[in-house]
Amino acid sequence: GQNIDQPTEMTATEGAIVQINCTYQTSGFNGLFWYQQHAGEAPTFLSYNVLDGLEEKGRFSSFLSRSKGYSYLLLKELQMKDSASYLCAVISQAGTALIFGKGTTLSVSS
Amino acid sequence: DTGVSQDPRHKITKRGQNVTFRCDPISEHNRLYWYRQTLGQGPEFLTYFQNEAQLEKSRLLSDRFSAERPKGSFSTLEIQRTEQGDSAMYLCASSGSGVETQYFGPGTRLLVL
């Protein structure tokens, strides 16, 4: 089976840096995605990691360690608009469906 | 292309009624997925199409649910004899072939009274 764990909630202040962790257990690994979802809206793609290491994209970076079954999303220079749910997902063994965690709700305050 | 679109955006129905949702994927994408999301949870996979062929169905997809993609373009998801437990956001996503990023539509929020 597959299991994705991430913290339920996190809080941070504007301008700060926050790291959202995700651990996963999968039978087979085809890649890990991070999505951002604002309340009442669709998930939007942030990053994809399939090899170990750090992928940087502007204020957002994502890290993967396949041996540890671990990933994190790093958000720098936080803005109020970053308040959202952040979803960690792995691709199913068949390489089709996304298996999501429950999401981490990030609240950014001034 | 403006992305994945879904219709309707909101649907309120009474228990026992049938409902149908539509999804129009990004035009060049041949893969289409349906997910269901309830409050405080991540999306859960329901089913997947490659072109017009339905290749994978989750155990979550009971006999009351049926999905089609007749010409390999838009897709419909029908729920028969709706139950209150069907209340959720129904999300559609599309992607190209292989392990590619799935792009989500705005979702259809269903409320069953």
Side-chain angles (χ1 to χ4, degrees), chain B residues 14-72:
Chain B
K14 293 182 180 178
R15 187 161 48 99
Q17 298 294 303
N18 299 344
V19 294
T20 300
F21 310 141
R22 177 180 170 123
C23 170
D24 287 88
I26 293 171
S27 57
E28 62 266 29
H29 285 175
N30 56 11
R31 291 188 171 189
L32 186 147
Y33 313 79
W34 285 98
Y35 292 83
R36 180 173 67 188
Q37 186 176 25
T38 53
L39 201 61
Q41 303 293 316
E44 295 174 297
F45 171 74
L46 293 177
T47 190
Y48 146 70
F49 290 84
Q50 171 110 6
N51 299 312
E52 65 276 7
Q54 187 174 19
L55 298 183
E56 194 173 341
K57 289 197 289 188
S58 163
R59 280 169 283 184
L60 291 175
L61 211 66
S62 77
D63 291 345
R64 297 184 297 104
F65 288 67
S66 62
E68 293 183 342
R69 194 182 182 198
K71 297 182 180 179

Side-chain angles (χ1 to χ4, degrees), chain B residues 9 41 43 59 62-63 67 76-77 86 97 100-101 108-109:
Chain B
R9 296 290 308 277
Q41 303 293 316
R59 280 169 283 184
S62 77
D63 291 345
T76 58
L77 177 69
D86 296 332
S97 298
E100 291 197 12
T101 300
T108 294
R109 187 172 294 280

Side-chain angles (χ1 to χ4, degrees), chain A residues 30 33 35 37 40-43 45 48 87 91-92 94-103, chain B residues 31 33 35 37 40-43 45 48 56 89 91 98-106 109:
Chain A
N30 289 308
F33 290 82
Y35 282 82
Q37 186 175 30
E41 298 182 10
F45 169 73
Y48 170 61
L87 299 161
I91 288 279
S92 66
T96 53
L98 285 170
I99 312 299
F100 284 89
K102 293 185 177 182
Chain B
R31 291 188 171 189
Y33 313 79
Y35 292 83
Q37 186 176 25
Q41 303 293 316
F45 171 74
Y48 146 70
E56 194 173 341
M89 172 81 90
L91 293 162
V99 181
E100 291 197 12
T101 300
Q102 295 182 23
Y103 294 92
F104 284 83
R109 187 172 294 280

Side-chain angles (χ1 to χ4, degrees), chain A residues 1-2 25-30 91-94:
Chain A
Q2 289 163 305
Q25 295 170 326
T26 60
S27 46
F29 180 78
N30 289 308
I91 288 279
S92 66
Q93 192 170 12

Side-chain angles (χ1 to χ4, degrees), chain A residues 4-92:
Chain A
I4 317 291
D5 284 316
Q6 48 182 133
T8 305
E9 294 181 344
M10 298 184 72
T11 59
T13 53
E14 269 188 306
I17 300 172
V18 71
Q19 178 175 312
I20 302 174
N21 297 324
C22 171
T23 57
Y24 63 89
Q25 295 170 326
T26 60
S27 46
F29 180 78
N30 289 308
L32 186 144
F33 290 82
W34 283 95
Y35 282 82
Q36 179 190 61
Q37 186 175 30
H38 286 99
E41 298 182 10
T44 55
F45 169 73
L46 290 178
S47 68
Y48 170 61
N49 294 72
V50 66
L51 300 175
D52 290 351
L54 188 68
E55 294 279 343
E56 296 186 80
K57 193 183 292 186
R59 293 189 300 115
F60 293 5
S61 304
S62 57
F63 171 83
L64 176 68
S65 168
R66 288 172 296 170
S67 63
K68 295 181 180 177
Y70 167 68
S71 173
Y72 67 72
L73 181 70
L74 192 71
L75 294 76
K76 303 175 186 175
E77 300 168 15
L78 281 173
Q79 303 175 10
M80 298 290 284
K81 68 179 182 179
D82 297 328
S83 293
S85 179
Y86 291 85
L87 299 161
C88 173
V90 295
I91 288 279
S92 66

